[in-house]
Amino acid sequence: MSKKVLVLGETREGALRNVTFEAIAAAKKISGGGEVVGVLIGDSVADFGAELVNYGADRVITVEHPHLKSYTSDGYGQAFMAVIDQENPEGIVFGHTAVGKDLSPKIASKLQSGLISDVTNIEGEGDDAVFVRPIYSGKAFEKVKSKEGLTFITVRPNNITPLAKEERSGDISSLSVDITNLRTIIKDVVRKSAEGVDLSEAKVIVAGGRGVKSTEGFEPLQELANLLGGAVGASRGACDADYCDYSLQIGQTGKVVTPDLYIAAGISGAIQHLAGMSNSKVIVAINKDPEANIFKVADYGIVGDLFEVIPMLTEEFKKVM
Amino acid sequence: MNIYVLVKRTFDTEEKLVISGGKIQDDGAEFIINPYDEYAIEEAITVRDEHGGEVTVITIGGEEAEKQLRTALAMGADKAVLINTEDDLEEMDEFTTSYILAEYLKDKEADLILAGNVAIDGGSGQVGPRVADLLDINYVTTITSLKIDGSTVTIVRDIEGDAEELETSLPLLVTAQQGLNEPRYPSLPGIMKAKKKPLEELELDDLDIEEDDVEAKTETIEIYLPPKKEAGRVLEGDISAQVSELVGLLRNEAKVI
Ligand SMILES: Cc1cc2nc3c(=O)[nH]c(=O)nc-3n(C[C@H](O)[C@H](O)[C@H](O)COP(=O)(O)OP(=O)(O)OC[C@H]3O[C@@H](n4cnc5c(N)ncnc54)[C@H](O)[C@@H]3O)c2cc1C
Ligand SMILES: Cc1cc2nc3c(=O)[nH]c(=O)nc-3n(C[C@H](O)[C@H](O)[C@H](O)COP(=O)(O)OP(=O)(O)OC[C@H]3O[C@@H](n4cnc5c(N)ncnc54)[C@H](O)[C@@H]3O)c2cc1C
């Protein structure tokens, strides 16, 4: 049976996030030839509709309201439930992002539905779709499917290939919803994350741990990341030691990343760190200690001093790029 | 203040994982309180010590989960509840777990409910918000700071590394993120006292729940280990030779640059 599938679009720094395009591709699979409907919620989001269509949404519904400027589970919950009432979807896809993680269980609960969180791969299509998700901090995987009714998933960023962007046409309509009774008032958001490359979407990440030893120690890592068009990340150890901000933290508590290339320098490879990066396509470990756990997940390893190796790597890449 | 903490007994994922017969092998494995729930327990105790009241820890699981509940009591919780589903349920999912917890909590008039933001084994992060929705109370996830003044609650939460400051009110459910506090270790007197603290055991019948009400909405069809990665290549030779070899490998073999 072909399905109608809703996708919640998300923006960051005035642009749609890649995970939204990945969610559209996931929705296409679930729809099994049915319809994919993009949903945009905010105070001013209508302009993003056309891009959702170009990435494969058949049409787009926007819900705009001044109370939807910042995300709250009440505000977005009311908006999304209004769209559901109008559309009666058979599938829903969110990104497994701060918003997606916070909102999806609420919507699933209201619909008395199952919810398959943090999906990294989809096998099959339509009613036969089976979802792969990491469990046990990434040490194992499970294949899950919906038993009946709605198929509702969240997708881990950077794992599902988006459709190619093309000029497509599709209807963009707005739905007016009365947003009332917000129980949470956002006072302030202290931006800590660097502008530019979103860690969870970066293709290359150069990450430093306690072995980096200081804030200045991160400079050569930044230089290498810049050269490769990537971003700098960190372990909890480096954040706790104040060498860098917590917004760079990768792992179970921090960001979960799946870049093409992950370079871990001076990181021991604790399970909570691995939970955030072990799905990376290629992992390089640079560590003084040949016994360090990080070598167990690395594709390539150099046993050595990162302060020697990283600048040499930068020079070597400069030669060939 | 009437405070509840949702506690999950989890497999210690720092330990080796063995799968046989399509199941994670439990025998001899190390089990712990889900680390994020430890932050929740610590916060609950702190709030109680400041504002008065009582902390009740609840878990759904088998008989073995009593151990984790006793640990929570030893940390300083006042009462514990074990909802034992071993005999009644073969399949569970996040819907099942949340429904049962909410049925237990619905007439308890909780002021504050704390949970972990995610369980390190199941990893869905659904249970907290689902329980709050079923109870029709507000929730705030991944919190790193909690201040209660009368019925006003001021919270800082972690949103992908940014810090969001917000205000809300009781009753409320929050989920704990690392950074909220440093959980205490149970003291020896704490452990002694915990043995005498009340631990109630309930089954679905006691909550008037029929098995059909909680039938899982999703089905796990396979559990497997990631395909064994070829042992990584630790390069050899002098460092500059290793570095140029690595660049070559990343460009020509792995083709990621
Ligand atoms: C509930 C919970 C959640 C957690 N969440 C996370 C998380 O999200 N992310 C995370 O990262 N951690 C997390 N942790 C912490 C985790 O357990 C580790 O403590 C942390 O990852 C260690 O950081 P590290 O590898 O930088 O430090 P260390 O373990 O101290 O390792 C430093 C490494 O640097 C190497 N080194 C030192 N000097 C050099 C040099 N000059 N050149 C090369 N190598 C060098 C050393 O050999 C060592 O291997 C969590 C812990 C708990 C309990
Ligand atoms: C055949 C089968 C049998 C299962 N039997 C059990 C079982 O006996 N016990 C079990 O826990 N899971 C069992 N599960 C797994 C269960 O489906 C999920 O673990 C559960 O729904 C919670 O999901 P999660 O692990 O993703 O937790 P998350 O949603 O990530 O957990 C977030 C927070 O919710 C709270 N929480 C989660 N689970 C519980 C709980 N059980 N009790 C109290 N608070 C909780 C904690 O505060 C936790 O930090 C079983 C699964 C299958 C397939």
Side-chain angles (χ1 to χ4, degrees), chain B residues 69-142:
Chain B
L69 289 177
R70 289 284 173 209
T71 305
L73 292 171
M75 285 172 75
D78 302 291
K79 296 198 296 193
V81 178
L82 169 64
I83 304 174
N84 193 335
T85 50
E86 225 164 16
D87 297 336
D88 293 326
L89 298 178
E90 289 197 345
E91 276 181 32
M92 290 177 77
D93 70 356
E94 301 85 356
F95 164 81
T96 314
T97 306
S98 310
Y99 186 100
I100 298 170
L101 288 168
E103 281 300 301
Y104 172 80
L105 286 163
K106 69 180 182 193
D107 55 3
K108 300 292 182 290
E109 292 181 5
D111 298 299
L112 181 65
I113 303 173
L114 301 101
N117 86 77
V118 69
I120 59 170
D121 51 0
S124 76
Q126 292 182 26
V127 170
R130 273 184 183 267
V131 168
D133 183 71
L134 289 167
L135 297 173
D136 203 14
I137 62 173
N138 194 20
Y139 65 88
V140 182
T141 56
T142 56

Side-chain angles (χ1 to χ4, degrees), chain A residues 208-213 234-240 249-255 262 264-276 286-294 302-309, chain B residues 14 34-36 38-39 120 177-178:
Chain A
R210 196 140 51 197
V212 172
K213 294 194 179 71
S235 71
R236 180 86 189 179
C239 301
D240 278 343
Q249 185 183 333
I250 288 166
Q252 199 166 64
T253 313
K255 296 207 168 75
Y262 189 91
I267 294 177
S268 62
I271 180 66
Q272 298 89 353
H273 189 76
L274 301 188
I286 300 163
N287 198 303
K288 278 203 302 207
D289 172 9
E291 302 298 320
N293 201 44
I294 191 77
I302 292 183
V303 178
D305 183 346
L306 72 94
F307 295 107
E308 188 185 353
V309 176
Chain B
E14 296 196 20
N34 182 42
Y36 298 92
E38 287 186 353
Y39 303 122
I120 59 170
Q177 168 68 312
Q178 192 175 35

